[in-house]
Amino acid sequence: MPLGFRFDNSYARLPERFFEPCLPTPVAAPRLVRVNAALADTLGLDAAALAGPEGVAVLAGNRVPEGAAPIALAYAGHQFGQFVPRLGDGRAVLLGEVVGRDGLRRDIQLKGSGPTPFSRRGDGRAALGPVLREYLVSEAMAALGLPTTRALAAVTTGEVVQREEARPGGVLTRVAASHLRVGTFQFFAAQGDVEGVRTLADYAIARHYPELAGAEHPYRALLEAVVARQADLVARWLLIGFVHGVMNTDNTAISGETIDFGPCAFMEAYDPGTVFSSIDYAGRYSYGNQPRVAQWNLARLAETLLPLLAAEEEPAVAMAQEVLAGFGPRFEAAYGGGLARKIGLGTAREGDGPLVQDLLRRMAENGADFTLLFRSLGDAAMEPEAAGARALFADPAAFDGWAEGWRRRLAEEPGGAEASRAAMLRVNPAVIPRNHLVEAAIDAAVERQDFTSFEALLDALSRPFDHRPGLERFTLPAKPEERVLQTFCGT
Ligand code: AMP
Ligand code: MG
C-alpha cells in the first residue's frame, strides 16, 4: 500500500556543510502507538497505510521511504547561556519535506532514530516517556491555536534505552514548518562563514517569508519578521500558562513555531517565577522570564546577521539594535491585548492594563489556578455570586475587591454580558495538558504498556475550549498529593 509521501527535499539541496547524510538505525521490534490521522491527511499521506506494517517500519526508521533523503542537520547553540559551536541533530534525522494539501511545505523528522555524526556521547535514542510527552503537548498546543511543531506518529522500538535506569525506547515522527533554528545561523557565524549565513538567510526568506524577497533590505526584514513572530509566540505562551523550560538558541525556531518539548509544563497556580525543569537551577527559563530570554535569543540571531546588514560594523549594529528594540512593543501589544481579551475586553480603554495587572497580583497572592480562573470569568460575567471564580482564591474577598471594577468596565463593552461570556470562553481554555495528567498517562504507558490514559487525554486536549460533560477531571488542578513540581529533559 503506498504511504503517499511525495518528497521534495530543498534542505538537502543546500551546500554539503549544512548537514550530514545519515540513515536512521533500525530497531528490534517496532510497534505503533498512534498515527495522527488528521495530520496525515493534511500532509497527503495515507493514515491507514502508515498504521500498517510498511508504515510502521518507516515510522521506526527500519525502512526509508522512496524519495526521502535522510540527513542530520548541523546547528550550534547557546545552552543556558553557554555557547556550543557544534550541536546538530544528535538523535533525529530529517527524512525530507512534503508539501501538504494546504500548499504548505513541512519537514518530516524521526526523533529518537539512532546515532548521527552529531551524537557526541549520546545514543541517538529517545525514551518512550519524552516521546509521549512531546506528542501530547505539541498536539495540545496546536489545538489551542498556537504555532507549533506537530506529532505525526509515535512508535515503541522493542528496545530499551539506558537513562538513570533502563526505559522502553520510542520514536516520534515530528512535523515542522522547518527545523531552522537561531542556532543554525550561529553554526555558520561562529566559523566566520558569512556565505553560509547568507545562503541560510536566503533559504529562510524563501521558505518562511517569501514576501520579503523583494524588500529593500531583505536581511533586515528577515530579522524584523523573526522578532515579530517570536514576540507573538512568547506572548501566546504566557497567555495559556506555558513554560517551555529550555529556551536555548537551538530550541528557537526561525519559523516562529514552538519547538523541542523537553521539560515543558503548564503552570497551575499563577506565579511568574514558576520553573519545572530539574536542571533550571537559576530560573533562567521561568514562566515570567520567557519574554526576556526570547529577546536575548533574538539578539544572538541579530549578531549572526551583522555582516549582511551593512558593510561596516557600526551601522550594522545600529540597525540590529533598532530592530531588536521592536520586540518590546510587539510583545506588549500581543500580551496586553491577549490579557484584555481573557477578561472579556475586546475594545481597548485607558486603565485596562492596570485592571488586569491587579487581577494577576491578587491571583499570585491567593494561589489561584491560572487556567481555571480565566475560564471561570465567563460565568462570573453572568452571575454576580461568581462562586466558581471566588473559590479559586485563598481569600475570596480578594476576587470580590477586583470584580467590582471589572464589572463596571465590562458593562462598557458592546454586546452585553452574554457576548462577553462567549468571547471569554473562546479564548480561555478549559483543558490544558496538566502535568499530573501527562505524568499519569506516561506512567501507565511506560510501566504497564497501557495507552488508554494517553488516548483519553489526547482526546480531551483536542478540543480545549469545549465543555464536554464527563470530561471534568481533565479540567481540574492536581490535588496536593498529585502535584508535579519537577520535570526532566529525559533525553
Ligand atoms: P535538546 O535537549 O533536544 O535541545 O538537545 C540538545 C542537543 O543534545 C542536540 O544537539 C541533541 O541532538 C543532543 N541530544 C539530546 N539527546 C541526545 C541523545 N540521546 N543522543 C544524542 N544526542 C542527543
Ligand atoms: Mg533541541
Side-chain angles (χ1 to χ4, degrees):
M1 221 180 343
L3 304 175
F5 286 106
R6 278 180 304 153
F7 286 107
D8 174 41
N9 307 322
S10 65
Y11 205 83
R13 292 193 286 270
L14 289 173
E16 276 177 13
R17 63 191 190 284
F18 280 60
F19 53 81
E20 298 278 353
C22 178
L23 293 173
T25 305
V27 299
R31 272 185 53 190
L32 184 69
V33 173
R34 192 168 207 282
V35 166
N36 184 338
L39 180 59
D41 191 57
T42 304
L43 297 173
L45 306 178
D46 183 333
L50 273 179
E54 258 182 67
V56 173
V58 166
L59 299 171
N62 285 20
R63 184 173 155 257
V64 175
E66 201 181 323
I71 53 177
L73 274 52
Y75 54 86
H78 276 93
Q79 300 188 305
F80 288 89
Q82 288 294 322
F83 186 64
V84 184
R86 187 181 154 97
L87 285 169
D89 287 334
R91 54 161 165 172
V93 295
L94 176 64
L95 286 182
E97 301 152 35
V98 300
V99 178
R101 290 175 194 274
D102 52 8
L104 298 179
R105 174 180 296 269
R106 293 186 184 83
D107 280 4
I108 312 274
Q109 188 204 59
L110 298 182
K111 189 169 175 181
S113 54
T116 79
F118 298 103
S119 294
R120 292 169 289 166
R121 285 182 299 279
D123 59 4
R125 290 299 183 190
L128 179 61
V131 165
L132 298 181
R133 176 188 291 275
E134 176 154 352
Y135 197 124
L136 287 166
V137 183
S138 65
E139 287 305 301
M141 296 290 266
L144 287 161
L146 275 80
T148 179
T149 65
R150 303 286 305 270
L152 176 63
V155 298
T156 55
T157 60
E159 297 178 0
V160 295
V161 293
Q162 198 57 45
R163 297 295 181 259
E164 296 86 59
E165 52 193 73
R167 306 254 169 82
V171 179
L172 179 79
T173 305
R174 178 158 80 177
V175 173
S178 84
H179 284 85
L180 303 187
R181 307 151 187 270
V182 168
T184 320
F185 282 85
Q186 292 180 293
F187 179 79
F188 298 104
Q191 299 171 53
D193 182 356
V194 177
E195 276 321 297
V197 175
R198 188 187 306 278
T199 302
L200 186 63
D202 290 340
Y203 180 85
I205 290 171
R207 185 151 176 188
H208 295 301
Y209 306 96
E211 67 282 4
L212 305 182
E216 190 185 334
H217 203 315
Y219 302 121
R220 179 194 165 118
L222 171 64
L223 183 59
E224 280 169 351
V226 179
V227 166
R229 282 203 196 167
Q230 283 291 328
D232 290 349
L233 180 67
V234 172
R236 301 202 55 187
W237 287 357
L238 295 199
L239 292 168
I240 55 160
F242 179 73
V243 187
H244 182 284
V246 54
M247 287 177 72
N248 294 334
T249 57
D250 53 302
N251 295 337
T252 303
I254 298 301
S255 65
E257 286 184 340
T258 311
I259 194 169
D260 278 5
F261 297 83
C264 61
F266 280 70
M267 178 173 67
E268 298 218 286
Y270 176 70
D271 171 5
T274 301
V275 174
F276 294 103
S277 170
S278 63
I279 57 169
D280 190 1
Y281 310 110
R284 179 182 173 93
Y285 299 142
S286 67
Y287 170 82
N289 248 0
Q290 296 181 112
R292 225 163 306 156
V293 175
Q295 202 170 11
W296 191 88
N297 290 347
L298 290 163
R300 305 289 79 74
L301 174 64
E303 283 166 1
T304 72
L305 295 175
L306 288 177
L308 310 188
L309 292 180
E312 302 289 325
E313 190 174 329
E314 212 175 297
V317 169
M319 191 185 284
Q321 281 171 343
E322 200 183 311
V323 175
L324 290 168
F327 180 92
R330 176 86 184 206
F331 168 78
E332 288 303 335
Y335 179 59
L339 279 176
R341 284 188 294 281
K342 286 179 84 67
I343 64 167
L345 307 180
T347 61
R349 298 261 165 100
E350 182 105 15
D352 289 352
L355 181 67
V356 82
Q357 288 305 325
D358 182 33
L359 173 63
L360 290 174
R361 188 179 51 77
R362 291 167 190 256
M363 287 167 65
E365 285 167 5
N366 286 272
D369 184 87
F370 183 80
T371 305
L372 275 187
L373 186 274
F374 284 106
R375 183 72 182 182
S376 73
L377 290 182
D379 287 342
M382 307 286 289
E383 308 155 358
E385 347 33 297
R390 295 183 84 241
L392 297 169
F393 285 76
D395 172 13
F399 178 75
D400 301 335
W402 175 78
E404 211 180 312
W406 173 60
R407 291 186 195 286
R408 272 200 305 277
R409 172 63 186 86
L410 209 53
E412 296 170 14
E413 285 291 300
E418 182 59 56
S420 296
R421 175 175 188 271
M424 281 186 274
L425 295 183
R426 276 196 301 275
V427 296
N428 294 323
V431 189
I432 53 157
R434 290 187 182 268
N435 307 322
H436 65 293
L437 298 174
V438 172
E439 295 286 332
I442 291 173
D443 277 355
V446 169
E447 308 299 334
R448 303 187 292 282
Q449 293 77 52
D450 174 359
F451 292 88
T452 49
S453 297
F454 170 76
E455 291 289 342
L457 180 55
L458 200 58
D459 175 60
L461 292 168
S462 69
R463 287 158 57 191
F465 298 99
D466 290 359
H467 174 77
R468 286 193 275 165
L471 297 190
E472 283 80 9
R473 70 193 171 90
F474 294 107
T475 68
L476 300 178
K479 300 190 187 96
E481 70 276 14
E482 293 173 331
R483 227 167 259 160
V484 175
L485 300 176
Q486 253 193 354
T487 53
F488 302 87
C489 297
T491 53

